[in-house]
Each structure stands twice: as structure tokens, then as C-alpha cells.
Amino acid sequence: MARLLVSSYEVDKNLFLLQIIRAKKAVVSNASMWDTLDLLPPDAVPKSYQDKVKATPQCDSFMHLHLGFDAENAREDLGIHHIVVNDWNKGVDGEQNVVLISVPSVLGEGLAPPGKHILHAYTPGTEPFGLWEGLDRKSAEYRSLKEERSEVMWKAVELALGPKFSREKCDVKLVGTPLTHKRFLRRNKGTYGPAIKAGEATFPGQATPIPQLFCCGDSTFPGIGVPAVAASGAIVANTLVSVSQHSELLDAVGI
């Protein structure tokens, strides 16, 4: 999506766009609050709303490591999930201090070719965007920083998978950075989401100042994470359909 158009006037001004889709009932944005704001015309929402969005603190970004390798190069008792904490004194939000690892092919053989494993490792919202801002993704500087900042994940993977694992023998090696998130996932500054602390503030609801424009995802209640994001989408769906439709669906699924 390139833009959110909120009036016939805006549509007329943007007829050069490849395709314009007109919503009959509502528009639901699952982009972050910052990215949704950027999609709107500058005067589409009150300045107070814009200021509130811009003032919302952000979590840092991620580093990611995706691997594919021979199953025989990992320990025989390999589990699906691993958490490596390098220094408990630095806390779980310390920069490059915690690495989370998932090897889903341990439980789902069909997720990887026979005899292979797939692995995802990441630093959970602790990678500063400032280190990456302005870098050319094709530059030697960017490649060097990727190698440097991914080393903590490689070491965590080596610890979790055991002495038989060798990074040189991996069939697939993919490193994601904050710029990866910003580019492919349209995440403002590659952020993990709003840094809203429990007990100090609450995540905003799904409604916006624009009638029939709703938001879901980790910028809305109940917050960050797959279950919370799914719940935010369900809240919007419940808002848009009638109670009778709710009942019909519950009957259809046998609840």
C-alpha cells in the first residue's frame, strides 16, 4: 500500500497510482501507529492525535539469523526453543545480551527437507536503530556491521546446538537487520513496537479520529506479541460485524 486516501478529493489527486481500492465498510491498518500516520494525508487527523503518536516511545529493533543445516550436525536431544542470556546482571533488555532460538523442524518434520533443520534466532527488541540509520544496504560498511552484530547470535546457536554444529556447514545463512525490518515489514525505524510500560500507560484502542478507519497489530491493545496482535484483529472484527453474525459463527464452529 502506498497511501490511505480519505476523501474523493484525495482520490482525484492520486489517480496516477497503479490501483485504487475503495472500501465500502471500513479500512483496517495493521501497520504500526507511526507508519499508519505516514500513509495518511497530513491534515487527515487532528494535530493532537499526530503529536500523541509521534511522542509514543519505541522499543529498539531486532537482529535475526535464519539457518538451514544437516540435522546430524546438531545434538541428538535438541529441543525446539532455547534462550541464551549472556549476563544476568545486564537484564533481559540489555543490548545484545539475550538471544532467542527456535528450531521448529524438531517437532515438524515437514518444515524442512529430510535430514535437515531450520532455525531462527533473534535479539528481542534490543538492537539500536541508530547504529544502522543512513547506511547503504549495498555498502561494505553495512556488510561489515551485519557480520559484527550477528556474531552474538552465532555464538548462542553454537552453544544451544552443541559441538557438532558448524556455521561453515550451514546450507542457508540469512542475517536480518533493523534496515531489513524497515524495508520489508514497513516498520518505522525497524521497531519491535511501542515501548509502553505496564502500570504507566495503556496501549491505544483500535479506533482512530477517522470514522471507519481502524488499527490493529502491536500498536494497539492488548500489545506486542502474536497472541496480542491476533486479539487486536479479533477486536476489530467484532466491531465490524453484528451480534447475530457472532452467534452464527460460534454455531458454525460448534462453540
Side-chain angles (χ1 to χ4, degrees):
M1 181 186 293
R3 297 178 188 172
L4 280 169
L5 309 177
V6 297
S7 68
S8 298
Y9 172 68
E10 288 292 336
V11 171
D12 291 341
K13 285 199 308 180
N14 290 277
L15 290 177
F16 62 88
L17 295 176
L18 183 62
Q19 183 181 24
I20 295 176
I21 300 174
R22 291 172 171 83
K24 294 181 179 179
K25 189 168 186 177
V27 171
V28 182
S29 172
N30 70 342
S32 76
M33 61 170 68
W34 305 281
D35 295 290
T36 299
L37 188 62
D38 288 341
L39 289 171
L40 291 167
D43 57 351
V45 292
K47 185 176 183 301
S48 58
Y49 181 82
Q50 297 181 41
D51 291 344
K52 184 176 181 180
V53 169
K54 293 174 182 178
T56 301
Q58 294 183 349
C59 293
D60 284 331
S61 190
F62 311 69
M63 288 294 297
H64 284 270
L65 182 64
H66 292 272
L67 302 177
F69 55 92
D70 287 338
E72 64 181 19
N73 292 334
R75 64 200 322 159
E76 293 181 2
D77 60 346
L78 182 64
I80 181 173
H81 293 306
H82 310 262
I83 300 176
V84 176
V85 181
N86 294 311
D87 185 347
W88 281 105
N89 292 321
K90 292 183 178 179
V92 295
D93 56 352
E95 184 177 323
Q96 295 227 308
N97 191 42
V98 176
V99 178
L100 281 74
I101 302 168
S102 176
V103 193
S105 50
V106 167
L107 298 182
E109 294 181 357
L111 296 176
K116 303 287 186 178
H117 275 316
I118 55 172
L119 179 149
H120 173 219
Y122 67 99
T123 57
T126 58
E127 183 68 9
F129 185 76
L131 295 174
W132 303 86
E133 192 166 15
L135 287 182
D136 181 349
R137 291 180 295 100
K138 298 180 180 180
S139 68
E141 183 182 3
Y142 178 66
R143 291 192 295 272
S144 176
L145 190 59
K146 281 178 69 173
E147 183 175 351
E148 174 190 334
R149 300 297 287 183
S150 64
E151 183 63 22
V152 67
M153 296 183 294
W154 279 110
K155 289 181 177 178
V157 168
E158 289 168 345
L159 180 64
L161 268 59
K164 291 193 296 182
F165 175 78
S166 169
R167 63 177 78 179
E168 286 76 22
K169 293 182 180 180
C170 289
D171 301 305
V172 177
K173 305 176 189 178
L174 297 172
V175 176
T177 74
L179 296 187
T180 311
H181 283 277
K182 184 176 184 294
R183 181 188 182 201
F184 290 102
L185 301 180
R186 186 178 265 166
R187 298 292 293 188
N188 184 276
K189 297 184 178 180
T191 182
Y192 193 78
I196 297 175
K197 294 183 179 180
E200 296 183 8
T202 58
F203 280 80
Q206 282 68 34
T208 72
I210 300 175
Q212 302 312 107
L213 172 61
F214 298 90
C215 291
C216 66
D218 60 15
S219 287
T220 65
F221 180 85
I224 297 173
V226 173
V229 167
S232 74
I235 291 171
V236 175
N238 289 342
T239 302
L240 295 176
V241 301
S242 66
V243 174
S244 61
Q245 288 175 298
H246 291 186
S247 299
E248 291 173 4
L249 178 59
L250 293 174
D251 291 340
V253 297
I255 297 179

